[in-house]
């Protein structure tokens, strides 16, 4: 009776075949190692022959591992989220430059910023309205990019609050979000990455805002 497997996607079979090829290559290397070493009294020449014979197998394992890792990474990627924005020139389908997993809810922000660690939804709202904290409205709820919060010190990164204030983030949240996640020639990268690396300064913010532009028009 033929074997029938139900519910396994082609992607799953690709991964399984990748694992199987790696196991087979490792098994081949073990067999080859025993044959060479046992048949040559473990002398130096046999050891060198063993290394030379294992080299292509090791390279093949490395290649299979890279391909399998790429397959797993691609399959785990979350499709980008698209929101519809009303602009002065009409409707715009805006692709979010971050996933929802990279954002916080109002309650989570309140909990992180509260000295007591208790949830406080109004805290996020006050910080958003004062242009210290960027919040974007998605499906009727505000989400806050996680990079803005220094969880250890329970505060908004000072340079983040400064930049948001300079851009009046509550008036133009989507333009501000776009600025944070767009590579900047003056900064040499995305502002968000510089914040995470602890390299963004208020002077750098002033320079890039003075010579560039931001906002959704």
């Amino acid at each position: 009776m033929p074997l029938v497997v139900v519910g396994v996607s082609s992607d799953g079979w690709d991964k399984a075949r990748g694992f199987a090829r790696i196991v087979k290559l490792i098994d081949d290397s073990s067999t080859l190692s025993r044959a060479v070493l046992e048949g040559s009294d473990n002398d130096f020449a046999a050891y060198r022959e063993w290394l030379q014979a294992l080299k292509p197998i090791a390279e093949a394992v490395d290649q299979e591992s890279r391909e399998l890792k790429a397959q797993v990474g691609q399959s785990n990627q979350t499709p980008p989220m698209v929101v519809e924005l009303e602009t002065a020139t009409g409707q715009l389908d805006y692709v979010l430059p971050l996933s929802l997993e990279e954002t916080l809810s109002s309650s989570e922000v309140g909990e992180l910023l509260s000295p007591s660690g208790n949830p406080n939804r109004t805290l996020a709202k006050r910080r958003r309205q004062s242009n210290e904290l960027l919040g974007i409205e998605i499906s009727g709820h505000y989400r806050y990019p996680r990079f803005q919060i220094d969880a250890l010190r329970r505060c908004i990164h000072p340079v983040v609050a400064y930049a948001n204030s300079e851009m009046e983030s509550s008036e133009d949240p989507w333009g501000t979000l776009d600025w944070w996640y767009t590579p900047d020639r003056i900064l040499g990268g995305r502002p968000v990455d510089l914040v995470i690396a602890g390299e963004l300064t208020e002077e750098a913010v002033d320079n890039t805002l003075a010579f560039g532009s931001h906002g959704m028009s």
Side-chain angles (χ1 to χ4, degrees), residues 4 28 46 64 93 106 112 138 142 144 159-160 185 187:
V4 179
D28 289 345
E64 290 287 354
D93 289 335
S106 296
L112 287 172
I138 301 176
Y142 278 97
Y144 301 84
V159 70
V160 170
R185 178 180 56 82
L187 295 177

Side-chain angles (χ1 to χ4, degrees), residues 17-129:
R17 283 194 291 268
F19 280 120
R21 286 194 294 267
I22 291 176
V23 171
K24 176 65 167 56
L25 289 167
I26 293 175
D27 184 60
D28 289 345
S29 70
S30 298
T31 302
L32 179 62
S33 300
R34 288 194 299 271
V36 171
L37 295 179
E38 291 175 2
S40 307
D41 298 325
N42 299 339
D43 57 14
F44 180 76
Y47 181 69
R48 184 173 59 183
E49 179 184 352
W50 172 67
L51 289 179
Q52 292 175 342
L54 280 182
K55 184 178 179 180
I57 295 179
E59 291 175 347
V61 169
D62 181 66
Q63 181 62 31
E64 290 287 354
S65 299
R66 289 175 184 273
E67 293 178 359
L68 186 59
K69 183 178 180 180
Q71 291 176 8
V72 172
Q74 291 173 359
S75 64
N76 290 337
Q77 288 179 352
T78 303
M81 187 171 183
V82 180
V83 295
E84 294 182 353
L85 304 179
E86 292 295 336
T87 70
T89 57
Q91 185 172 294
L92 170 69
D93 289 335
Y94 180 69
V95 179
L96 285 178
L98 74 170
S99 66
L100 287 182
E101 287 73 21
E102 297 173 89
T103 67
L104 300 166
S105 67
S106 296
S107 296
E108 289 170 329
V109 169
E111 184 175 348
L112 287 172
L113 295 182
S114 172
S116 64
N118 296 322
N120 185 340
R121 294 175 63 90
T122 61
L123 184 56
K125 180 180 179 180
R126 291 200 306 268
R127 296 298 181 88
R128 185 185 76 248
Q129 292 178 337

Side-chain angles (χ1 to χ4, degrees), residues 161-177:
Y162 177 80
N164 286 337
S165 178
E166 289 296 299
M167 291 183 283
E168 299 184 338
S169 58
S170 65
E171 298 297 322
D172 184 17
W174 297 105
T176 303
L177 177 71

